[in-house]
Amino acid sequence: MCYTLTNDLEKLGLLARAIRQSVVRSLAEAGSGHLGGSLGSADIFTTLYFSVIRHTPDEPLWPGRDRFILSIGHIAPVLYATLAEAGYFRKEELLSLRKLGSRLQGHPGRDHQLPGLELSAGSLGQGLSVSVGMALALKMDRLDNRVYCLCGDGELQEGSVWEAAMSAAHHKLNNLTVIIDRNSLQIDGSTEKVMALEPLKKKWEAFGWQALECDGHDFRSLLPAFNKARMELLHPSVIIAKTVMGKGIASIEGDYRWHGKAPTKEQAVAFLRELEGGIQNIEH
Amino acid sequence: MLTHFINRGNKSTKLGFGEGLLEAAILNERVVAIGADITASVGVDLFASRFPERFISLGIAEQNCVGVAAGLALSGKIPVFATYGVFSALRTTDQIRVSLCYNRLHAVIGGAHAGVSVGPDGATHQALEDIAVMRVMPNMTVLSPCDATQARLATMAAIQQCRGPVYIRFGREAMPDFTSVEMGFQIGLAQLVHEGSDIAIIATGHMIWEALQAAYELEKEGIHARVLNIHTIKPLDETAVVIAAKECGVLVTAEEHQVAGGLGSAVSEVISKQYPVPIEFIGMNDRFGESGTPHELMQKFGLTSGDIIKGCRKALGKKK
Ligand SMILES: [Mg+2]
């Protein structure tokens, strides 16, 4: 049976918070990893896994499932936290992140048999091509499953992304939706300084895509974008979701230095308290 | 002595690949092919005209082609993607490593224009490093058939029998077609194509024909050379290689590829550990090819039967 999806904004907010907390806990325990993008895309993941994607956590390989491809493997912590939140595995396992023998590899690896994981990925610029292949196969088989692919904005500097973009439009893959985590940051700083991406929407439109923009932290903005993508009949859709790296922790929001950093255990205590609204004890 | 092989007529291994793909596709509807513009030049046109609905044109964008192949494989298809080996194996190395090999996906990557026998197109289009790069990839199978008949069988095996990624290399030039379907083709099993125990010539691809001619010549002098056809570079038939080392006591490898990282290296890795014997290498020695006719180039770079005979004499001189 398909997982029950929700449009309840309050519920989604609570789920997003729980996912952020899991991200902070697992990264603090791992001692390394990418906090900024994981927190910044938590609302996108929440929308995808609890409002948009048809999936069955107790039957991860259900053929009727929509496919979610994480192209930016480095934000694996938020994918893992989301999968655990959805019930693919127990949340305790999140604390094994990046450790020897863990199913939760630093970048996702299918060899390690984590349920719900569709693709081993980590080398930027490949996920969209894989998604195109999936969308093509589904069309060939006349199936209506949809393919969702999350890309980073810095990742769009990889030329192969645009090869894939061209091919998706050429083959009219309206069953494909790409979400871009548009936090305007990458490891060296502002994307516009490292290698400018703007005008980004126009680029995608010129490549033959339906390009939508939304607030990547507002479910009321995210949900209609996904609906609009689903309704499109001729073109693949891209949702450029404006986000803030590190969202949810005021002291690190928008700070590119948190792209590839994990919090110390002391920092994690403070971060968790902040996420909880300072009310509850964050011990687990 | 086994069969004395006769050339039934020249035919390119690329055609054998195209025929094998078509035949496998007739048998299995999950087979799909990806085109990167030069479909006729790599033998995929046969498939494309017969199965247009299973042919996916992606243009001159090889990195995307490999990623798309991964997505197709993850969705129940058996994708076959072929273009010149310099592009299908080398431009796309990272995509092959992560999207295909790390994910253990069954996709067949065809590398055309292997070796200097490509001829006048010159160095940029002559794949001489593809075996080396493909064979270091975990989970990868690497095939290098010796003629058109074997290329057809190898392609069918790659599509029907493999479970993970496969790289299969083939040439452009029409070359002697001399093996038979009856010889069969089993991935990972070297073929003894000439018996002998004075020396063993371990070769792959087009060099099998040259090795056979060398063996026939040496035979006249009373030197009995064993010739092993290594159509599967990976997994290498270590048993056949070690037995050859034990029974012949000296080896010559021959390939239309860089010796470094290629068949010569692969054989050395095995015998240096399991049964060290003197060895000579016939192949490209750390340099690029150039323009010329295939024949001129094979001569210039020392890749003819005459060069193999020279190599054998040198090796025999070192035999204990
Ligand atoms: Mg970014």
Side-chain angles (χ1 to χ4, degrees), chain B residues 228-248:
Chain B
L228 273 188
N229 175 14
I230 305 290
H231 54 62
T232 306
I233 305 282
K234 186 184 177 183
L236 184 64
D237 187 344
E238 298 191 5
T239 310
V241 169
V242 171
I243 289 174
K246 280 183 183 163
E247 294 182 356
C248 305

PDB file of all heavy atoms in Angstrom, chain B residues 228-248:
ATOM      1  N   LEU B 228      47.376 -18.383 -27.025  1.00  0.00           N
ATOM      2  CA  LEU B 228      46.180 -18.249 -26.181  1.00  0.00           C
ATOM      3  C   LEU B 228      45.410 -17.001 -26.587  1.00  0.00           C
ATOM      4  O   LEU B 228      45.969 -15.906 -26.632  1.00  0.00           O
ATOM      5  CB  LEU B 228      46.576 -18.088 -24.715  1.00  0.00           C
ATOM      6  CG  LEU B 228      46.795 -19.307 -23.838  1.00  0.00           C
ATOM      7  CD1 LEU B 228      46.971 -18.843 -22.388  1.00  0.00           C
ATOM      8  CD2 LEU B 228      45.643 -20.297 -23.944  1.00  0.00           C
ATOM      9  N   ASN B 229      44.131 -17.184 -26.871  1.00  0.00           N
ATOM     10  CA  ASN B 229      43.278 -16.046 -27.193  1.00  0.00           C
ATOM     11  C   ASN B 229      42.618 -15.535 -25.914  1.00  0.00           C
ATOM     12  O   ASN B 229      41.704 -16.151 -25.384  1.00  0.00           O
ATOM     13  CB  ASN B 229      42.213 -16.461 -28.216  1.00  0.00           C
ATOM     14  CG  ASN B 229      41.220 -15.342 -28.489  1.00  0.00           C
ATOM     15  OD1 ASN B 229      41.447 -14.196 -28.141  1.00  0.00           O
ATOM     16  ND2 ASN B 229      40.109 -15.696 -29.122  1.00  0.00           N
ATOM     17  N   ILE B 230      43.106 -14.391 -25.446  1.00  0.00           N
ATOM     18  CA  ILE B 230      42.511 -13.783 -24.252  1.00  0.00           C
ATOM     19  C   ILE B 230      41.427 -12.816 -24.715  1.00  0.00           C
ATOM     20  O   ILE B 230      41.643 -11.610 -24.835  1.00  0.00           O
ATOM     21  CB  ILE B 230      43.584 -13.047 -23.403  1.00  0.00           C
ATOM     22  CG1 ILE B 230      44.730 -13.990 -23.038  1.00  0.00           C
ATOM     23  CG2 ILE B 230      42.947 -12.440 -22.151  1.00  0.00           C
ATOM     24  CD1 ILE B 230      44.382 -15.079 -22.038  1.00  0.00           C
ATOM     25  N   HIS B 231      40.265 -13.366 -24.996  1.00  0.00           N
ATOM     26  CA  HIS B 231      39.152 -12.494 -25.412  1.00  0.00           C
ATOM     27  C   HIS B 231      38.513 -11.822 -24.219  1.00  0.00           C
ATOM     28  O   HIS B 231      37.763 -10.864 -24.359  1.00  0.00           O
ATOM     29  CB  HIS B 231      38.116 -13.284 -26.211  1.00  0.00           C
ATOM     30  CG  HIS B 231      37.607 -14.508 -25.508  1.00  0.00           C
ATOM     31  ND1 HIS B 231      36.935 -14.445 -24.314  1.00  0.00           N
ATOM     32  CD2 HIS B 231      37.698 -15.828 -25.828  1.00  0.00           C
ATOM     33  CE1 HIS B 231      36.625 -15.680 -23.932  1.00  0.00           C
ATOM     34  NE2 HIS B 231      37.083 -16.534 -24.829  1.00  0.00           N
ATOM     35  N   THR B 232      38.788 -12.346 -23.020  1.00  0.00           N
ATOM     36  CA  THR B 232      38.304 -11.694 -21.801  1.00  0.00           C
ATOM     37  C   THR B 232      39.511 -11.208 -21.012  1.00  0.00           C
ATOM     38  O   THR B 232      40.268 -11.996 -20.452  1.00  0.00           O
ATOM     39  CB  THR B 232      37.484 -12.673 -20.928  1.00  0.00           C
ATOM     40  OG1 THR B 232      36.451 -13.250 -21.723  1.00  0.00           O
ATOM     41  CG2 THR B 232      36.875 -11.944 -19.738  1.00  0.00           C
ATOM     42  N   ILE B 233      39.692  -9.901 -20.996  1.00  0.00           N
ATOM     43  CA  ILE B 233      40.815  -9.319 -20.269  1.00  0.00           C
ATOM     44  C   ILE B 233      40.519  -9.377 -18.770  1.00  0.00           C
ATOM     45  O   ILE B 233      41.396  -9.569 -17.945  1.00  0.00           O
ATOM     46  CB  ILE B 233      41.027  -7.849 -20.685  1.00  0.00           C
ATOM     47  CG1 ILE B 233      41.191  -7.730 -22.206  1.00  0.00           C
ATOM     48  CG2 ILE B 233      42.180  -7.225 -19.919  1.00  0.00           C
ATOM     49  CD1 ILE B 233      42.530  -8.121 -22.742  1.00  0.00           C
ATOM     50  N   LYS B 234      39.252  -9.204 -18.442  1.00  0.00           N
ATOM     51  CA  LYS B 234      38.829  -9.258 -17.047  1.00  0.00           C
ATOM     52  C   LYS B 234      37.448  -9.873 -16.967  1.00  0.00           C
ATOM     53  O   LYS B 234      36.546  -9.379 -17.644  1.00  0.00           O
ATOM     54  CB  LYS B 234      38.818  -7.844 -16.457  1.00  0.00           C
ATOM     55  CG  LYS B 234      38.520  -7.829 -14.969  1.00  0.00           C
ATOM     56  CD  LYS B 234      38.438  -6.412 -14.472  1.00  0.00           C
ATOM     57  CE  LYS B 234      38.071  -6.410 -13.003  1.00  0.00           C
ATOM     58  NZ  LYS B 234      37.922  -5.057 -12.492  1.00  0.00           N
ATOM     59  N   PRO B 235      37.202 -10.908 -16.192  1.00  0.00           N
ATOM     60  CA  PRO B 235      38.196 -11.592 -15.366  1.00  0.00           C
ATOM     61  C   PRO B 235      39.173 -12.399 -16.228  1.00  0.00           C
ATOM     62  O   PRO B 235      38.749 -13.161 -17.108  1.00  0.00           O
ATOM     63  CB  PRO B 235      37.332 -12.524 -14.513  1.00  0.00           C
ATOM     64  CG  PRO B 235      36.100 -12.772 -15.333  1.00  0.00           C
ATOM     65  CD  PRO B 235      35.866 -11.516 -16.090  1.00  0.00           C
ATOM     66  N   LEU B 236      40.455 -12.228 -15.957  1.00  0.00           N
ATOM     67  CA  LEU B 236      41.484 -12.912 -16.723  1.00  0.00           C
ATOM     68  C   LEU B 236      41.511 -14.396 -16.361  1.00  0.00           C
ATOM     69  O   LEU B 236      41.380 -14.752 -15.185  1.00  0.00           O
ATOM     70  CB  LEU B 236      42.843 -12.278 -16.418  1.00  0.00           C
ATOM     71  CG  LEU B 236      44.043 -12.795 -17.213  1.00  0.00           C
ATOM     72  CD1 LEU B 236      43.893 -12.496 -18.698  1.00  0.00           C
ATOM     73  CD2 LEU B 236      45.334 -12.164 -16.687  1.00  0.00           C
ATOM     74  N   ASP B 237      41.682 -15.236 -17.373  1.00  0.00           N
ATOM     75  CA  ASP B 237      41.783 -16.681 -17.138  1.00  0.00           C
ATOM     76  C   ASP B 237      43.186 -16.972 -16.582  1.00  0.00           C
ATOM     77  O   ASP B 237      44.105 -17.343 -17.315  1.00  0.00           O
ATOM     78  CB  ASP B 237      41.538 -17.430 -18.448  1.00  0.00           C
ATOM     79  CG  ASP B 237      41.461 -18.942 -18.236  1.00  0.00           C
ATOM     80  OD1 ASP B 237      41.890 -19.424 -17.163  1.00  0.00           O
ATOM     81  OD2 ASP B 237      40.968 -19.628 -19.154  1.00  0.00           O
ATOM     82  N   GLU B 238      43.326 -16.791 -15.278  1.00  0.00           N
ATOM     83  CA  GLU B 238      44.637 -16.934 -14.639  1.00  0.00           C
ATOM     84  C   GLU B 238      45.166 -18.355 -14.775  1.00  0.00           C
ATOM     85  O   GLU B 238      46.362 -18.571 -14.945  1.00  0.00           O
ATOM     86  CB  GLU B 238      44.555 -16.551 -13.159  1.00  0.00           C
ATOM     87  CG  GLU B 238      44.154 -15.096 -12.961  1.00  0.00           C
ATOM     88  CD  GLU B 238      44.314 -14.632 -11.518  1.00  0.00           C
ATOM     89  OE1 GLU B 238      44.822 -15.421 -10.694  1.00  0.00           O
ATOM     90  OE2 GLU B 238      43.924 -13.482 -11.234  1.00  0.00           O
ATOM     91  N   THR B 239      44.260 -19.318 -14.703  1.00  0.00           N
ATOM     92  CA  THR B 239      44.678 -20.716 -14.794  1.00  0.00           C
ATOM     93  C   THR B 239      45.378 -20.977 -16.117  1.00  0.00           C
ATOM     94  O   THR B 239      46.470 -21.555 -16.158  1.00  0.00           O
ATOM     95  CB  THR B 239      43.442 -21.635 -14.669  1.00  0.00           C
ATOM     96  OG1 THR B 239      42.716 -21.218 -13.514  1.00  0.00           O
ATOM     97  CG2 THR B 239      43.838 -23.082 -14.531  1.00  0.00           C
ATOM     98  N   ALA B 240      44.758 -20.538 -17.206  1.00  0.00           N
ATOM     99  CA  ALA B 240      45.354 -20.777 -18.527  1.00  0.00           C
ATOM    100  C   ALA B 240      46.703 -20.084 -18.647  1.00  0.00           C
ATOM    101  O   ALA B 240      47.643 -20.630 -19.243  1.00  0.00           O
ATOM    102  CB  ALA B 240      44.402 -20.291 -19.622  1.00  0.00           C
ATOM    103  N   VAL B 241      46.811 -18.891 -18.073  1.00  0.00           N
ATOM    104  CA  VAL B 241      48.059 -18.131 -18.148  1.00  0.00           C
ATOM    105  C   VAL B 241      49.158 -18.837 -17.354  1.00  0.00           C
ATOM    106  O   VAL B 241      50.293 -19.004 -17.825  1.00  0.00           O
ATOM    107  CB  VAL B 241      47.846 -16.679 -17.643  1.00  0.00           C
ATOM    108  CG1 VAL B 241      49.177 -15.964 -17.449  1.00  0.00           C
ATOM    109  CG2 VAL B 241      46.952 -15.904 -18.615  1.00  0.00           C
ATOM    110  N   VAL B 242      48.826 -19.288 -16.153  1.00  0.00           N
ATOM    111  CA  VAL B 242      49.826 -19.943 -15.300  1.00  0.00           C
ATOM    112  C   VAL B 242      50.243 -21.289 -15.904  1.00  0.00           C
ATOM    113  O   VAL B 242      51.436 -21.635 -15.919  1.00  0.00           O
ATOM    114  CB  VAL B 242      49.290 -20.107 -13.858  1.00  0.00           C
ATOM    115  CG1 VAL B 242      50.227 -20.974 -13.032  1.00  0.00           C
ATOM    116  CG2 VAL B 242      49.119 -18.732 -13.206  1.00  0.00           C
ATOM    117  N   ILE B 243      49.282 -22.016 -16.441  1.00  0.00           N
ATOM    118  CA  ILE B 243      49.626 -23.290 -17.085  1.00  0.00           C
ATOM    119  C   ILE B 243      50.558 -23.044 -18.267  1.00  0.00           C
ATOM    120  O   ILE B 243      51.546 -23.765 -18.477  1.00  0.00           O
ATOM    121  CB  ILE B 243      48.345 -24.050 -17.529  1.00  0.00           C
ATOM    122  CG1 ILE B 243      47.610 -24.580 -16.294  1.00  0.00           C
ATOM    123  CG2 ILE B 243      48.687 -25.203 -18.478  1.00  0.00           C
ATOM    124  CD1 ILE B 243      46.263 -25.210 -16.588  1.00  0.00           C
ATOM    125  N   ALA B 244      50.275 -21.978 -19.026  1.00  0.00           N
ATOM    126  CA  ALA B 244      51.143 -21.642 -20.166  1.00  0.00           C
ATOM    127  C   ALA B 244      52.555 -21.343 -19.664  1.00  0.00           C
ATOM    128  O   ALA B 244      53.552 -21.771 -20.264  1.00  0.00           O
ATOM    129  CB  ALA B 244      50.572 -20.453 -20.930  1.00  0.00           C
ATOM    130  N   ALA B 245      52.653 -20.602 -18.570  1.00  0.00           N
ATOM    131  CA  ALA B 245      53.970 -20.263 -18.008  1.00  0.00           C
ATOM    132  C   ALA B 245      54.699 -21.525 -17.566  1.00  0.00           C
ATOM    133  O   ALA B 245      55.902 -21.705 -17.831  1.00  0.00           O
ATOM    134  CB  ALA B 245      53.801 -19.296 -16.839  1.00  0.00           C
ATOM    135  N   LYS B 246      53.974 -22.424 -16.922  1.00  0.00           N
ATOM    136  CA  LYS B 246      54.587 -23.666 -16.423  1.00  0.00           C
ATOM    137  C   LYS B 246      55.012 -24.572 -17.558  1.00  0.00           C
ATOM    138  O   LYS B 246      56.107 -25.130 -17.559  1.00  0.00           O
ATOM    139  CB  LYS B 246      53.581 -24.424 -15.536  1.00  0.00           C
ATOM    140  CG  LYS B 246      53.486 -23.868 -14.130  1.00  0.00           C
ATOM    141  CD  LYS B 246      52.528 -24.707 -13.281  1.00  0.00           C
ATOM    142  CE  LYS B 246      52.412 -24.078 -11.900  1.00  0.00           C
ATOM    143  NZ  LYS B 246      51.246 -24.565 -11.150  1.00  0.00           N
ATOM    144  N   GLU B 247      54.144 -24.744 -18.528  1.00  0.00           N
ATOM    145  CA  GLU B 247      54.411 -25.720 -19.582  1.00  0.00           C
ATOM    146  C   GLU B 247      55.342 -25.191 -20.668  1.00  0.00           C
ATOM    147  O   GLU B 247      56.049 -25.962 -21.305  1.00  0.00           O
ATOM    148  CB  GLU B 247      53.090 -26.208 -20.196  1.00  0.00           C
ATOM    149  CG  GLU B 247      52.260 -26.998 -19.175  1.00  0.00           C
ATOM    150  CD  GLU B 247      50.965 -27.550 -19.737  1.00  0.00           C
ATOM    151  OE1 GLU B 247      50.637 -27.271 -20.914  1.00  0.00           O
ATOM    152  OE2 GLU B 247      50.270 -28.259 -18.991  1.00  0.00           O
ATOM    153  N   CYS B 248      55.329 -23.876 -20.890  1.00  0.00           N
ATOM    154  CA  CYS B 248      56.146 -23.315 -21.969  1.00  0.00           C
ATOM    155  C   CYS B 248      57.413 -22.642 -21.435  1.00  0.00           C
ATOM    156  O   CYS B 248      58.401 -22.516 -22.149  1.00  0.00           O
ATOM    157  CB  CYS B 248      55.344 -22.324 -22.793  1.00  0.00           C
ATOM    158  SG  CYS B 248      53.814 -23.032 -23.457  1.00  0.00           S
TER     159      CYS B 248
END
